[in-house]
Amino acid sequence: MKFTKLVLAMGLAAGIAACSQQPAAPQLPKGVTLVTVHSQLKDGVSVPYKKYQLDNGLTIIVHEDHSDPLVHVDVTYHVGSAREELGKSGFAHFFEHMMFQGSENVGDEEHFRIVTEAGGTLNGTTNSDRTNYFQTVPSNQLEKMLWLEADRMGFLLDAVTEEKFEVQRETVKNERGQRVDNRPYGRLGERVAQALYPVGHPYSWPVIGYMDDLNRANVNDVKAFFLRWYGPNNATLTIGGAVKPQDVLPLVQQYFGSIPRGPEVTAAPKQPVSLDSSRYISMEDNVHLPLIYMSFPTVYLRHEDEAALDVLAQILGGGKNSILYKNLVKTQIAVQANVNHPCAELACTFNLLALPHPASGKNLADMEALLRDSLAEFEQRGVSDDDLYKVKAQMEANTIYGLQSVAGKVGQLAINQILTGNPDNLQNDLNRVNKVTKDDVLRVYNTYLKNKGSVVMSVVPRGKLDLIANTDNFTPQELDFGGPSTTSADDLQVRRAVDTFDRSVEPQAGVNPAVTVPAYWQSSLDNGIKVLGAASDETPTTAMLLKLKSGLYYESPDKTGLSSMLTAMLNEDTKNFSGEDIALELEKLGSYISISASDEHIQLYVLSLSKNLQQTIAILLEKMLQPAFNEDDFQRLKQQRLQGIQQSEKNAGYLASNAFRKLMYGDSILGQPGGGTLASITNLSLDDVKAYYHSHFKPAGGQLIVVSDLAKAELQQAIAPLNQFSGKAPVINVQVPADTSRGSVIYLVHKDDSPQSEIRIGKRSLTEDITGEYFKTGLANFTIGGNFNSRINLNLREDKGYTYGARTGFSADSFTGVFVASAAVRADATAASVKEFIDELSLFSAQGVTEPELTFMRRALNQRDALKYETPNAKLGFLAQILQYDLTPGFVDQRNAIIANISQEEINLLAKQHFDPKDMVIVVVGDSAVLRPELEALGYPVEDLTL
C-alpha cells in the first residue's frame, strides 16, 4: 500500500456535463435510486456511466467496458489525513492498513489471498483528502469483490484486535522508515508543511502521520476514527468493466444495503493560506547534494486560477523549454531544477526546487537568488503562443492516455465524484485549460508569486549548515498531547447491520471468462527489423517499442555506462534542431519518446495520438539518425550522471543491489551497474560515445512491437520511414564468469545513520526459458515469496512487524540468472530478519509446498490472463516475448497446462534444488558497528564489503 500527498495531477472540474440527464427510472432493486445517466460525448473526451444511490447514502457508479473480460472495483472514502485532529495524525493511513487485516466474515490475511487466488490485483492508497481501495479481477469474480468490500465497510471493527493493531503499527513505522526517514530528502515535505500551514491546519501534518501520535493511540482511537468517517454515506463504490447495471445493482444492494449510515459528513471549508514574509527553515540529512525548495501558497482545487497556475508552473520549470532548465540545468549550475503546482481539495502550493552542481560553487543562498531572478525574467519575458499550445496539447494527450485501462477510467470517475459530485469532468478539465490566456498566466504570477512570502527550505549534507539559504527564522510550535490515550471501548458508538442472509459464506465465482491472446500480425522491414503489430481500438493512440541489440552486455567493465550515456545523448541536440526545439515539438503533439538502455538492448519507446504518429516518427528518426553529439551536452550529462551515482550511494537499496551483483559476477561486465560507476563514467569521453553509436546503434536483428487503433496497412505505411535506419552491430560475446561466491557468509556494507537495514540473500541460478525449469521455479517461488500472502511476507511483515514488505524471486536472461530474497527491515530487527529468511528458505527447501498452497498457486496464476492484455503497454510487453523467443501464441496454453498439471512432487524437487540457503550469500547494508555483533551471533562469518 502507498500514500500520496497529492491529488491527481489533472484538475477536476465542477458541474454536470451537458449530456447528463435524469430519465424515467427503470425497474431497480428496492432501496436503489437512479441519479444520473451520462452518455458518451459526441465531441470531446468522456467516460459514460450511470450513477445510483442506496438508501443508506452509498453512491454507486457503473461504467460498462466490454473490451476485456475483467472488472475494476473501487471504493473511495472521502476521508484522508485532512480529517484527522492535532495529536491524532496518521489514522487515515493507518486504517488503510487495517482494512486489509480481515473483517468479521473474512479471516486474517484473507483479503489478499482471495483476490490473488481470483487472478486479480489489489491495493489501497491514502492522501490528504481521500482513501481508496481497489481490485482488478476477471469479470466472473465481481460478486466476491463486492462481498469483500462490504464486509470491511460494515463488519470490520470486531475483527480489529489489539494484536492486529500492534502489528500494523509496526508495519506503518517500517513504511515510514523506508519511504521517509531512510530516504534522502524524505522529511522535506512534512517540514515544509509545518512551516507553511498554521498549527491545526488539516495539511500541517504528513499523511503517514507522526509516530509519536500513533504510539500514543490505542486500538479504540482508530475504531472511533473508523466509526466517524467510514460510513456508506461518505463513500463511492465505482464498478467498471465487463458488467451491466442490471446484474450489478442487486448484488450491491444485497451486500451494502443493510450497512447503517454513518454520522453526517459536511464538506470541509477551503483553507488556502498566505504568508506575510518568507519563512526560512533548514535540515541536515544524509544526502550528497544540498537542495533548496521554495513553496508559495496559492489557491485550492477547482479554484478559477488553478489552471493558469498549472500553465505557469510548466513555463517556469516543466521540461527543456522552461526558464529554470535554460538558466540552471543547461548552464550546469544545477543538477536538477523543476517547478510544480500540486493542488489538493483545501489548498494548493507552487513549488520550485533546485540542487546545485558542486562544480558551480553555488550555495543555497546563491540558488535562491537565481530562482528569484528566473521569476523576474518570466515577468519580463511574458507568455508565448507555444507556452499555451504545448500545455493544452499535453493535457489532451494525457487525458486520453489515462483512459487506456478500465482502472484508469474508474479511478477518474471515483475521484471526481468524491471531490466534485460529477464523475466525468474530463472535458470540463480540458475546457478549463483551453480557456487560459496569456493575461491569465501573468495575472496569477502577480497575485500569488510576485513579492509574496514563501517557505524556503534548505536540506544540506550533515555538517554543511554553511550552505543553507538563510538563517532559520521559523520554529514550529512544540505541542504536548500528554501520555497514552485513555479512549475506551465504552466511548464507541458501534453501528451494526441486520441481514437476511449468511455473510460468512464466501460467494462462488461464475465460469471463468474466455480469454484470448491478442490477434497480431508479423512482418519485417528491409533493414532487418522484425515487426509485430496488434490492434487496440479503445483509445485513438499508438504505442511502439523498438529494441536494438545493444546495451550493458556489449560494453567493457572500464566503460560501463556507455549505452546509457549514448541514450542520454540521443535526447539532446541533433544536427538540425536543438534539444529544446525537439522537446517543444513533441509537447505540441502530446507525444512521448523515451530512449533507454538495458542489459541486452537499447529500447526506444514511443507513445502518440494516432493522428500525430507520422510527425512523431519523423522526430524519432531525427533523434536516431542525426545526433549532434555536442561536447557541452556530453559534459553536462556526464556530470549529472556522476552526481546521480554519488547521490544513489546514500540509498541503502542501491548499495545492497550493487553489492549483490558484485558478489555474483565480480568485476565482469555482468557485475557492473547499468548506469556505470564513478570510475567508468569519469573514464568516458565523447569520442567513446560516438564510436559506440557508429558501431552498435544498428537495426539488424532489432524488434519493433506496435499496438495501435490504426489499420494494418496504415500502420505499416507509418513505420516505413524507419527503413532509413541501416546497418548491423557486432555480435554479442558475453563471458559469464565462474561462480566464486561463498554461501552462508554475511557481507556487511556500512551505511551510517540507517534506521533500516537492507537485506539481500541469494545465489546464481537458471537462465531464462518460457516453459522449462526456469518457468517452473517461478511457480515454486510463488509460495515462498512471490505474492503478498507468501510465507516470507506474512512472517516478516504481518507476524513480526519487521518490514513493510519482503519478497523472493528469480530474474534471468539468456546468459545467466539469479535468485534473490530481499527486504528493508527495522535496524533493530536486522539479525532476527536474516534468521527468519534463512529458516523459511530452509524449511521450504526441505519440505516444499503443501496441497493447499499448490491449489492456491494454480488458481491465482491460471486466472491472471484476463489482466495481461488490457492496455497497449501490457500488449507491448506480452508481444515482445513472442518476438524475442520466436514463439507462437500456443505458448500461453503450454504455460497454463504446466500450471494446471505440475505435481507437488515436482514443485518440491525444485524447492530442494533451488531454495537451499546454504548455497546463498547474505548481504546486509546498515550501520556496521551496531549490526556486526548481532550478525556474528547468528553463527555466520561476517565480512566487510567495500563497493
Side-chain angles (χ1 to χ4, degrees), residues 666-875:
D667 294 328
S668 74
I669 193 62
L670 286 81
Q672 308 303 310
T677 65
L678 289 175
S680 69
I681 296 299
T682 300
N683 197 34
L684 289 183
S685 68
L686 181 57
D687 285 339
D688 292 326
V689 175
K690 289 180 180 179
Y692 190 77
Y693 169 79
H694 289 298
S695 63
H696 286 77
F697 192 77
K698 302 295 181 182
Q703 302 162 4
L704 176 63
I705 305 97
V706 190
V707 178
S708 177
D709 69 316
L710 298 176
K712 176 183 175 181
E714 189 175 359
L715 193 55
Q716 287 180 316
Q717 183 179 1
I719 64 176
L722 290 173
N723 277 309
Q724 299 172 40
F725 185 32
S726 63
K728 183 176 182 179
V731 176
I732 192 170
N733 183 26
V734 175
Q735 300 294 320
V736 181
D739 185 0
T740 59
S741 62
R742 292 181 293 140
S744 298
V745 175
I746 296 177
Y747 294 92
L748 186 55
V749 180
H750 176 68
K751 179 181 181 294
D752 56 2
D753 189 33
S754 295
Q756 286 193 317
S757 301
E758 284 280 352
I759 297 172
R760 302 288 186 274
I761 301 173
K763 65 175 183 176
R764 294 262 285 271
S765 189
L766 301 165
T767 56
E768 187 175 18
D769 61 51
I770 299 300
T771 57
E773 186 174 358
Y774 174 80
F775 174 70
K776 293 175 182 178
T777 57
L779 304 183
N781 181 74
F782 185 85
T783 295
I784 183 65
N787 71 95
F788 184 90
N789 282 67
S790 68
R791 294 184 186 182
I792 280 178
N793 193 59
L794 290 184
N795 182 339
L796 270 70
R797 172 177 162 140
E798 299 302 306
D799 295 343
K800 305 292 192 310
Y802 291 164
T803 181
Y804 181 54
R807 62 209 59 85
T808 65
F810 293 86
S811 60
D813 52 39
S814 55
F815 300 99
T816 188
V818 295
F819 167 83
V820 63
S822 62
V825 302
R826 277 193 350 243
D828 64 352
T830 303
S833 297
V834 171
K835 182 178 185 304
E836 294 299 329
F837 264 119
I838 298 299
D839 288 349
E840 289 285 3
L841 289 167
S842 298
L843 181 64
F844 187 64
S845 176
Q847 299 181 8
V849 299
T850 65
E851 275 291 348
E853 288 173 333
L854 183 58
T855 300
F856 176 48
M857 181 274 291
R858 292 193 207 281
R859 291 175 176 171
L861 299 184
N862 252 335
Q863 296 192 71
R864 283 186 176 177
D865 285 350
L867 280 67
K868 287 181 181 177
Y869 323 124
E870 183 193 8
T871 67
N873 281 346
K875 287 184 172 74

Side-chain angles (χ1 to χ4, degrees), residues 78 96 205 225 242 269 312 322 374 466 496 592 649 673 765 770 779 822:
H78 198 171
E96 180 202 318
W205 53 79
F225 187 82
L312 175 61
S322 68
S374 294
D466 58 307
R496 298 193 181 279
Y592 295 89
E649 290 175 346
S765 189
I770 299 300
L779 304 183
S822 62

